[in-house]
């Protein structure tokens, strides 16, 4: 069982309370960033009058965690994908690889860190819910078990078929995410990438990485074998020459 | 130094000084003020010139080292021995450039050793990190006999000679893994990299093209060395390398197009776009044209023809790596990336430093053995028997 957040964009009134609460919970400056930055890990966007907030999807099998060479990013059993800054060497492969292009970098600092929402992992550890869902005045964002939230989302789609696009964004995208979205307009119109594969992305590299041991073994045997043959051939040629 | 023999050298020296001076300024800026001040990188475009050129191209251009080492030591084609050393030296310098470039690009370069103790075998970057470290060590060992000879250190020379074959095999395996893993890096971005370049076969493409460009680099630098140092070019050998290069490139061209067709992505070529033009250039200049040139014996056996074909192959290769790492990623990023001059100056400085070290090594070490120092080496090392058969 792991925790998740359900965002129903049809309920969001764009008040921005979640943005302020997020900044407070993460000790970030209260500014008016229009998109995600290293100082804004949760942002409310307006797409043709529809409000949608963007933050880390905290994937079930996170691409960022799989690509991190030093294991600085990690999926916890509770749900959040957390970041251990002390391990990070700053290769930014997580930023490159994230199918939702979420992680941000402190470009202005000489010693930068990666920044992204961690679903308030610290608050969750103390039995609290994330700051954003706690403050939401209209329950546009709710916090709970992923299974239960999925059931709730499906219930809403069923009860109001004309009010929603019949799709739960995040149910299957990138192998499933801990943040789920509902919408009345196509998700592409809200700025979500539509071409994200439904299998977990780490599979794409694992298919190749898993072949390394056999490539090395077969390669070593092949090269050693070729060397043995060519070497032997040369020795024989030399011996024959000496006999003459 | 006799400058009258090298009339162009003063101009190149002046240029090098300018490049290194601007590079020095950029270095200070990068480490004092951070990546944001010194690069055009952003949250939307986190990897730029230093990864796309310095790392991806640097590693590829170094591929001549493992290719020739395998040809000479594994396949026992001893006639190629005279050009192994310059190839190993180029490979070593290429990898050294990659390592230094990584120190610039990493946000926290002092933690570059972290992959040694903090493991994540699921990460391609983890594999890349280990390959760079191990192969740089192997290359240093493969190159070390040249230094040992210079200072007549017999014992280490004998040790290296004894482990030459395992060393070469390790080098070939590490190169195979590393060249292909740079392609694997991009397997994780199926929804971000343009379909003209994204393919499940990326690791294979990177590996095959690296072998092709490695051979082109050997031809290219033999020619440059011949001009700069008056070394007679080993033309028949290079013509044979060119023949092998044609086979590799033709194979590469066929699998690239086959892959496009197989994925149903051929139609992207008919749509006029930056991507389709650059893809066309890459395939035409880097594969089709050099192959068409080199199938003619007259081109293959002429110095100018060989050189021109090698330059084309290298240009096509560079274009390919930049297409995968930069052009192909731009459309999905929603932004435009063009490197800041400070980024360019660091890259130029690294390349310039590489040329400088190569020139110094040629002058002071026996890179183009055995003709120059044969007598002293033989006496010092083997007591006048056969020439030393180390890398």
């Amino acid at each position: 069982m792991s925790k998740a957040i359900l965002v129903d964009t049809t309920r969001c009134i764009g008040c921005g309370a979640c943005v302020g609460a997020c900044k407070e919970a993460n000790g970030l400056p209260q500014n008016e960033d229009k998109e995600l930055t290293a100082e804004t890990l949760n942002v409310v966007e307006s797409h043709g009058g529809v409000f949608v907030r963007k933050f880390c999807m905290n994937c079930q099998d996170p691409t960022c965690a799989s690509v991190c060479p030093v294991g600085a990013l990690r999926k916890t059993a509770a749900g959040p994908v957390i970041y251990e800054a002390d391990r990070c060497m700053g290769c930014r492969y997580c930023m490159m690889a994230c199918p939702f292009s979420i992680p941000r970098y402190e470009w202005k600092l000489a010693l930068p860190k990666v920044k992204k929402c961690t679903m308030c992992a610290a608050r969750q550890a103390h039995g609290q819910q994330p700051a954003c869902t706690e403050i939401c005045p209209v329950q546009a964002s709710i916090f709970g078990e992923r299974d239960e939230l999925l059931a709730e989302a499906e219930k809403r789609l069923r009860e109001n078929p004309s009010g929603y696009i019949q799709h739960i964004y995040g149910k299957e995208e990138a192998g499933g995410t801990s943040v789920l979205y509902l919408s009345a307009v196509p998700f592409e119109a809200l700025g979500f990438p539509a071409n994200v594969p439904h299998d977990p992305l780490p599979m794409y590299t694992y298919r190749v990485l898993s072949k390394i041991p056999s490539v090395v073994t077969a390669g070593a045997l092949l090269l050693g074998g070729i060397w043995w043959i060519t070497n032997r051939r040369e020795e024989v040629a030399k011996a024959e020459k000496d006999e003459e | 130094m006799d400058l009258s023999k090298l009339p162009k050298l003063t101009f190149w020296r002046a240029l090098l000084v300018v490049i290194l001076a601007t590079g020095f300024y950029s270095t200070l800026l990068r480490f004092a003020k951070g990546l944001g001040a010194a690069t055009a990188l952003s949250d939307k475009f986190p990897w730029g010139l230093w990864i796309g050129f310095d790392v991806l191209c640097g590693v590829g251009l170094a591929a001549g080292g493992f290719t020739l080492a395998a040809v000479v030591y594994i396949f026992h084609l001893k006639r190629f021995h005279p050009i192994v050393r310059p190839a190993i030296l180029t490979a070593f310098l290429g990898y050294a450039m990659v390592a230094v470039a990584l120190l610039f690009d990493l946000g926290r370069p002092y933690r570059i050793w972290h992959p040694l103790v903090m493991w994540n075998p699921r990460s391609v970057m983890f594999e890349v990190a280990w390959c760079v470290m191990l192969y740089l060590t192997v290359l240093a060992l493969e190159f070390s006999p040249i230094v040992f000879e210079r200072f007549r250190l017999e014992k280490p020379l004998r040790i290296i000679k004894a482990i030459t074959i395992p060393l070469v095999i390790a080098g070939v395996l590490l190169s195979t893994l590393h060249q292909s893993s740079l392609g694997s890096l991009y397997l994780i971005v199926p929804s971000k990299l343009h379909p003209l370049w994204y393919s499940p076969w990326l690791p294979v493409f990177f590996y095959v093209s690296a072998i092709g460009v490695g051979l082109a680099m050997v031809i290219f630098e033999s020619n440059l060395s011949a001009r700069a140092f008056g070394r007679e070019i080993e033309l028949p050998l290079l013509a044979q390398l060119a023949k092998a290069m044609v086979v590799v490139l033709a194979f590469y061209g066929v699998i690239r197009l086959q892959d496009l067709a197989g994925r149903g992505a051929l139609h992207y070529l008919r749509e006029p776009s930056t991507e389709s033009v650059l893809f066309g250039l890459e395939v035409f200049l880097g594969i089709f044209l050099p192959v068409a040139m080199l199938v003619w014996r007259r081109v293959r056996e002429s110095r100018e023809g060989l050189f021109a074909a090698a330059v084309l192959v290298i240009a096509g290769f560079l274009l390919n790596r930049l297409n995968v790492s930069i052009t192909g990623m731009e459309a999905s990023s929603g932004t435009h990336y063009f490197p800041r001059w400070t980024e360019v100056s660091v890259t130029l400085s690294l390349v310039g430093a590489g040329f400088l070290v190569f020139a110094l090594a040629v002058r002071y070490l026996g890179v183009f053995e055995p003709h120059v120092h044969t007598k002293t080496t033989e006496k010092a090392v083997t007591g006048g028997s056969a020439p030393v058969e180390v890398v």
Side-chain angles (χ1 to χ4, degrees):
Chain A
M1 296 299 268
S2 75
K3 299 291 186 190
I5 292 175
L6 173 64
V7 181
D8 189 335
T9 59
T10 65
R11 297 191 181 188
C12 180
I13 54 170
C15 67
C18 56
V19 178
C22 170
K23 283 173 174 288
E24 203 182 318
N26 288 290
L28 297 166
Q30 298 282 349
N31 58 16
E32 301 290 314
D33 285 340
K34 292 276 178 289
E35 50 184 16
L36 293 180
T37 66
E39 294 178 341
T40 302
L41 313 183
N42 169 50
V43 75
V44 178
E45 297 173 354
S46 171
H47 292 268
V50 180
F51 297 108
V52 56
R53 72 186 189 97
K54 299 280 176 68
F55 57 112
C56 176
M57 303 286 280
N58 289 277
C59 303
Q60 299 287 90
D61 188 354
T63 313
C64 57
S66 95
V67 301
C68 180
V70 291
L73 289 151
R74 191 158 51 83
K75 177 79 175 175
T76 58
V81 177
I82 57 164
Y83 171 67
E84 285 176 70
D86 290 344
R87 299 174 84 98
C88 176
M89 56 180 192
C91 72
R92 310 186 298 284
Y93 194 18
C94 50
M95 304 176 67
M96 268 288 296
C98 174
F100 306 104
S101 305
I102 294 293
R104 293 297 187 258
Y105 208 52
E106 295 175 318
W107 297 102
K108 288 173 193 159
L109 303 184
L111 295 177
K113 292 194 284 282
V114 170
K115 302 290 264 184
K116 73 169 202 66
C117 152
T118 55
M119 267 174 89
C120 287
R123 287 173 59 101
Q124 282 197 47
H126 289 97
Q128 290 172 290
Q129 58 170 306
C132 55
T133 53
E134 189 182 65
I135 204 161
C136 184
V138 291
Q139 272 86 56
S141 286
I142 53 173
F143 176 73
E145 289 294 334
R146 189 170 187 268
D147 300 347
E148 288 165 18
L149 291 183
L150 269 178
E152 169 66 22
E154 268 152 18
K155 195 176 125 222
R156 290 185 196 177
L157 293 188
R158 218 171 32 242
E159 286 174 358
N160 189 2
S162 59
Y164 290 105
I165 296 284
Q166 291 296 309
H167 181 70
I168 304 167
Y169 195 91
K171 185 185 177 188
E172 285 171 344
E173 276 75 12
T177 61
S178 292
V179 175
L180 307 163
Y181 284 93
L182 292 177
S183 170
V185 297
F187 286 95
E188 246 182 307
L190 298 179
F192 286 97
N195 60 349
V196 175
H198 283 197
D199 354 315
L201 281 122
M203 283 305 299
Y204 286 68
T205 40
Y206 185 72
R207 270 177 221 142
V208 174
L209 285 170
S210 58
K211 293 193 177 77
I212 290 178
S214 12
V215 168
V216 171
T217 317
L221 288 174
L222 183 71
L223 292 170
I226 294 172
W227 173 80
W228 186 78
I229 292 169
T230 51
N231 191 52
R232 179 85 190 127
R233 211 180 267 165
E234 204 164 80
E235 279 175 8
V236 170
K238 204 186 252 174
E240 279 174 357
K241 209 175 168 192
D242 287 348
E243 272 172 32
E244 279 168 17
Chain B
M1 251 169 273
D2 191 356
L3 282 178
S4 61
K5 273 188 189 167
L6 307 157
K8 276 186 188 164
L9 206 60
T10 42
F11 166 72
W12 290 111
R13 274 185 188 170
L15 184 67
L16 186 63
V17 168
V18 173
I19 288 175
L20 291 179
T22 54
F24 182 69
Y25 168 80
S26 306
T27 305
L28 290 182
L29 185 70
R30 187 264 165 261
F31 288 106
K33 298 272 172 93
L35 288 164
T39 70
L41 298 172
S42 64
D43 285 328
K44 287 181 177 161
F45 217 88
W47 282 4
L49 185 73
W50 291 343
I51 295 290
F53 184 85
D54 303 32
V55 175
L56 294 192
C57 297
V59 167
L61 297 176
F66 87 88
T67 312
L68 273 185
V71 164
V72 170
Y73 292 101
I74 307 295
F75 291 92
H76 278 240
L77 299 174
K78 290 274 167 64
R79 59 181 182 277
F80 290 105
H81 194 258
I83 47 180
V84 172
R85 283 187 165 186
I88 297 279
L89 176 59
T90 314
F92 180 63
L93 293 177
Y95 267 77
M97 175 175 120
V98 169
V100 176
L102 280 174
L103 292 176
F104 277 86
D105 191 73
L106 289 178
R108 303 226 179 192
Y110 59 94
R111 288 179 179 162
I112 196 169
W113 55 276
H114 274 193
L116 281 173
V117 291
M118 300 173 188
W119 286 29
N120 179 13
R122 286 218 305 171
S123 166
V124 180
M125 189 62 87
F126 176 76
E127 186 200 351
V128 168
W130 272 87
C131 283
V132 172
M133 290 187 285
L134 292 175
Y135 191 47
L136 201 51
T137 311
V138 167
L139 280 171
L141 288 173
E142 286 184 338
F143 184 69
S144 64
I146 304 177
V147 181
F148 295 152
E149 275 171 24
R150 176 71 177 76
F151 297 102
R152 306 191 181 174
L153 300 166
E154 292 180 41
K155 206 171 175 192
L157 197 51
R158 236 178 278 136
I159 296 172
I160 291 287
K161 191 186 166 186
I163 59 164
T164 296
I165 297 302
L167 213 50
V168 170
I169 291 181
V172 174
L173 292 175
L174 285 169
S175 293
T176 304
L177 293 184
H178 191 207
Q179 299 288 354
S180 60
S181 67
L182 292 182
S184 308
L185 277 182
Y186 289 87
L187 287 178
I188 203 82
V189 287
S191 53
K192 287 180 163 184
L193 181 56
H194 192 279
L196 279 174
W197 291 285
Y198 185 87
S199 158
W201 292 97
L202 268 172
V204 176
F205 294 163
F206 267 53
Y207 182 58
V208 176
S209 59
I211 294 177
V213 85
L215 294 171
M217 276 298 281
V218 174
I219 296 172
F220 176 77
E221 108 220 354
S222 295
N223 199 307
L224 280 194
S225 310
R227 277 195 229 170
F229 307 105
R231 306 278 329 178
E232 200 40 49
I233 196 166
E234 302 86 353
L235 208 53
L237 287 185
L238 298 186
Q240 282 172 319
L241 285 189
K243 227 186 228 175
M245 192 167 76
V246 167
V247 176
V248 173
L249 285 178
F251 175 68
Y252 177 56
V254 169
I255 56 173
R256 283 291 296 280
L257 294 177
Q258 190 77 46
D259 165 65
L260 269 195
R263 287 186 292 114
L266 275 177
H267 67 95
Y268 288 103
L269 281 180
R270 285 196 296 272
E271 296 164 12
S273 64
T274 321
E275 285 91 353
S276 61
V277 170
L278 285 170
F279 184 93
L281 273 181
E282 173 195 323
V283 172
F284 181 77
L285 289 183
I287 306 175
F288 183 78
L289 199 55
V291 167
M293 283 166 68
L294 290 174
V295 291
W296 299 96
R297 175 183 282 251
R298 267 180 48 200
V299 178
R300 213 164 51 229
E301 291 178 357
S302 83
R303 205 163 293 181
E304 296 75 20
L306 270 177
F307 187 67
V311 168
L312 281 174
V313 173
I314 293 166
F317 171 86
L318 299 180
L319 192 53
N320 170 256
R321 295 308 194 255
L322 293 175
N323 278 340
V324 170
S325 60
I326 295 173
T327 326
M329 298 292 292
E330 271 194 325
S332 68
S333 75
T335 185
H336 179 67
Y337 167 80
F338 194 80
R340 197 165 283 176
W341 74 267
T342 39
E343 280 173 277
V344 178
S345 74
V346 167
T347 297
L348 287 178
S349 294
L350 291 177
V351 175
F355 271 97
L356 182 68
V357 176
F358 189 90
L360 291 175
V362 169
R363 187 155 299 151
Y364 296 111
L365 300 170
V367 174
F368 285 97
E369 288 265 79
H371 311 294
V372 190
H373 303 290
T374 312
K375 278 180 189 167
T376 51
T377 319
E378 281 181 16
K379 265 181 206 155
V381 180
T382 57
S385 63
V388 190
E389 279 295 335
V390 281
V391 181

